[in-house]
Amino acid sequence: MLRDYIVVQTIDECLQLLQGKNGKARVVAGGTDLIPQIEKKTQQPAFLIDVSKIPELRTIRQDDGKIYIGAAVTHAEVAASSLIRQSAPLLAEASLAVGSPQVRNIATIAGNVINAQPAADAAIALVALGAKAEIISTGGTTEEYIENLYLGVGLSKIDSTSELLSRIYFSPIDKNQGTAFLRMSPRNALSLPILNIAVVLTIDDSFIQDVRIALGPVAEKPFRPLLAEASLKGSRPDTDTIKKAAKIIHDECSPRDSLLRGSSAYRRKMVQVLSETALLKAVANVYPS
């Protein structure tokens, strides 16, 4: 049973409280995922430590060639940020796809990661960006790629009873890079995605030099189709190359049958369609008309 809700002003205060509560407290910022879990009794912390008032967790900034987003920054703030729209447009688009305006005004991008759902829109974009998380505990600070934080559906490597995801960071998109974020859902708002995909593609000398693709929900975590990525590297970004890569993605992924999202066969076919569209969009963003 929840016994207390504590609003902290500093990271040190948060960590000391977590340590003192011996695993009975959890970090919360927006709480749009955690509070319903508490109501359903799937999570039962005795104490909640609210970090949303810690100033350094509320900022979006660029420093030393990286974009840093604090753990208490909301989806609405990410979507509205001119820095994000310019430097990582796919993340702005993904954040704008989350929930409703009311949810986006409260829910945080860090919470989207820690909740560890394989179709979390912002997390899919962050994986494509090659983003890292900075994780702080009383034992020190560590860093980890976002895609490596997933242990399974709803299971994060970050222990919110003793650790704080303080910020997320990534490199801004360069002029020779194109991006895309696409989402397939029954309606435009307040609907879980049937599929979503994010792409970051790098072209030099008319050849694809690098590409990162993230898909959800076609596995227990955001999925990287590594064979498809390998097929694209060193190739010209033409329609035939993109079509072949989309077919490889179709073959690589294995979405399960779902009453909510559709059959496995249907979603695999739509993966191919969505992947081709997203890759073509990313290429077009490198060569704007």
Side-chain angles (χ1 to χ4, degrees):
M1 178 182 294
L2 186 62
R3 292 163 52 188
D4 202 0
Y5 188 99
I6 306 166
V7 180
V8 295
Q9 302 297 324
T10 68
I11 289 174
D12 283 344
E13 185 184 2
C14 170
L15 295 177
Q16 292 304 317
L17 279 169
L18 289 174
Q19 186 178 44
K21 300 302 182 183
N22 297 314
K24 295 179 181 179
R26 275 200 59 165
V27 172
V28 65
T32 55
D33 290 317
L34 180 57
I35 299 302
Q37 291 168 358
I38 291 173
E39 291 175 347
K40 294 176 182 176
K41 302 189 186 310
T42 56
Q43 295 284 347
Q44 294 185 283
F47 304 90
L48 290 180
I49 312 299
D50 187 333
V51 299
S52 64
K53 305 301 182 185
I54 299 176
E56 56 262 50
L57 303 189
R58 298 283 310 143
T59 62
I60 301 173
R61 63 185 179 87
Q62 186 166 2
D63 189 28
D64 292 330
K66 302 290 183 183
I67 306 295
Y68 293 89
I69 302 175
V73 173
T74 67
H75 289 287
E77 290 166 336
V78 169
S81 166
S82 58
L83 177 60
I84 299 299
R85 292 202 306 270
Q86 179 180 353
S87 302
L90 74 165
L91 181 57
E93 294 172 38
S95 290
L96 195 59
V98 173
S100 65
Q102 294 88 342
V103 170
R104 291 193 294 273
N105 282 334
I106 298 174
T108 64
I109 191 168
N112 206 236
V113 170
I114 291 174
N115 198 42
Q117 295 300 316
D121 295 295
I124 292 291
L126 289 169
V127 170
L129 284 163
K132 283 187 170 182
E134 182 182 85
I135 304 155
I136 304 177
S137 70
T138 53
T141 301
T142 60
E143 296 179 351
E144 185 62 87
Y145 283 103
I146 297 294
E147 64 189 288
N148 294 335
L149 294 177
Y150 294 78
L151 298 176
V153 178
L155 299 174
S156 174
K157 197 178 285 186
I158 297 174
D159 181 359
S160 293
T161 68
S162 62
E163 297 175 317
L164 171 67
L165 194 169
S166 58
R167 59 183 182 173
I168 291 166
Y169 70 93
F170 50 85
S171 298
I173 297 301
D174 207 344
K175 62 182 180 180
N176 66 331
Q177 292 182 302
T179 72
F181 174 81
L182 295 177
R183 187 184 205 265
M184 180 182 173
S185 60
R187 57 182 186 270
N188 292 331
L190 284 174
S191 181
L192 294 173
I194 295 171
L195 295 167
N196 53 13
I197 183 172
V199 176
V200 176
L201 184 144
T202 306
I203 296 177
D204 281 322
D205 297 325
S206 299
F207 288 90
I208 299 171
Q209 299 298 324
D210 195 23
V211 61
R212 291 181 62 91
I213 304 167
L215 285 148
V218 296
E220 290 191 343
K221 62 181 183 177
F223 178 70
R224 291 276 307 283
L226 298 179
L227 294 177
E229 290 181 359
S231 77
L232 287 163
K233 293 176 185 178
S235 300
R236 290 190 179 276
D238 54 40
T239 303
D240 285 344
T241 297
I242 299 300
K243 284 183 177 294
K244 289 176 183 176
K247 178 58 169 63
I248 294 172
I249 295 173
H250 165 278
D251 295 341
E252 275 192 87
C253 74
S254 55
R256 63 181 178 84
D257 289 322
S258 168
L259 292 174
L260 182 63
R261 291 185 167 101
S263 70
S264 173
Y266 167 72
R267 289 202 292 147
R268 285 185 74 190
K269 182 60 180 175
M270 294 314 300
V271 161
Q272 184 173 347
V273 173
L274 206 65
S275 298
E276 182 177 337
T277 304
L279 286 165
L280 288 171
K281 181 181 178 182
V283 170
N285 285 336
V286 182
Y287 301 119
S289 56

